[in-house]
Amino acid sequence: MVAERRTLLLLSGGIESSVLLAQLKHAGHTPIPLFAHYSQRGVDAEYAAASAVCSAFGFAEPQLLDLRAEGLAHQRVNRLHVPLPHRNLALLSLALGWATTHQCSAVALGLNRDDFGKDAEFAAVGAVRYTTGTREFVSSFTALAAVVAPDVGIMLPQAQLSKAEVIREGMRLGVPLRSTYSCMRGRPLHCGSCLQCLARRRAFALAGVEVEDVEYETL
């Protein structure tokens, strides 16, 4: 194993991080998958999805970043679908520490071109803001990481791709996309109507993939 190719990624079980695992392996990296449990609504489905993609590519189950108590503390107050405020800032900061501990040369982020516009989209409908998914946040975090951990780079292999293009890349790499999960409401099956589900359905349609049709609840 070449230490310089060890790359940490936060594997949520969603489309982007699942495809990113395959991209890293295909590019010759040794992915170190880390799953964050912060008492989110869909944690069981997310973890099952993350484990499924690890198994598909010959990896053990992802290591656990255990923030259950912290997430529950916030959830008791605001009961949001994302109980950890400014989630990406908290998770990426901890991931940077894990990367250093596990001698990784990079942290890979599964943010695509569509993600960078979500903050404005969410704000427009009065949903929870996604300020830690903007280009400004990524740029600022990358600069901070260069100071804090200069030996650990920040990679965004999907930054120039749309969600539909990420799906096509996942198809090409043999990712079990049907097993991925990203519902904001945390239902056993995707609800089909939350912002994440709508984006997911739209992206699969644009990618020309019909495998999604039976995955949603009957509304």
Side-chain angles (χ1 to χ4, degrees), residues 25-46:
K25 181 177 181 180
H26 183 73
H29 293 254
T30 300
I32 308 297
L34 181 65
F35 179 85
H37 187 326
Y38 49 94
S39 300
Q40 62 270 42
R41 288 180 181 175
V43 64
D44 292 337
E46 289 178 10

Side-chain angles (χ1 to χ4, degrees), residues 47-215:
Y47 186 76
S51 297
V53 74
C54 282
S55 177
F57 288 98
F59 296 104
E61 292 185 345
Q63 298 184 59
L64 181 67
L65 177 58
D66 191 348
L67 297 172
R68 283 175 285 188
E70 185 67 16
L72 280 174
H74 287 286
Q75 196 175 57
R76 291 189 188 101
V77 177
N78 53 34
R79 298 191 179 278
L80 300 175
H81 67 275
V82 180
L84 192 63
H86 313 303
R87 175 185 58 184
N88 284 356
L89 177 59
L91 299 186
L92 289 175
S93 297
L94 291 170
L96 194 61
W98 272 67
T100 301
T101 299
H102 290 269
Q103 299 181 320
C104 296
S105 61
V107 173
L109 310 184
L111 289 171
N112 62 51
R113 190 175 71 226
D114 294 346
D115 288 327
F116 294 133
K118 277 185 180 178
D119 181 48
E121 179 185 353
F122 284 17
V125 297
V128 180
R129 296 288 298 273
Y130 192 48
T131 53
T132 56
T134 61
R135 291 185 186 275
E136 292 80 4
F137 169 77
V138 171
S139 178
S140 296
F141 183 82
T142 300
L144 177 62
V147 174
V148 174
D151 295 330
V152 180
I154 304 297
M155 299 173 54
L156 290 95
Q158 300 170 355
Q160 304 304 317
L161 302 178
S162 68
K163 193 177 189 75
E165 290 169 332
V166 171
I167 287 172
R168 292 192 193 103
E169 180 71 354
M171 293 290 288
R172 184 181 72 83
L173 295 174
V175 177
L177 293 171
R178 188 185 183 88
S179 298
T180 61
Y181 182 89
S182 53
C183 180
M184 294 169 71
R185 294 193 172 108
R187 305 282 176 79
L189 295 178
H190 289 88
C191 74
S193 59
C194 70
L195 289 176
Q196 287 289 76
C197 279
L198 291 174
R200 178 183 174 97
R201 298 183 88 161
R202 183 168 57 247
F204 271 94
L206 288 172
V209 179
E210 299 179 357
V211 70
E212 281 287 292
D213 292 345
V214 299
E215 285 199 327

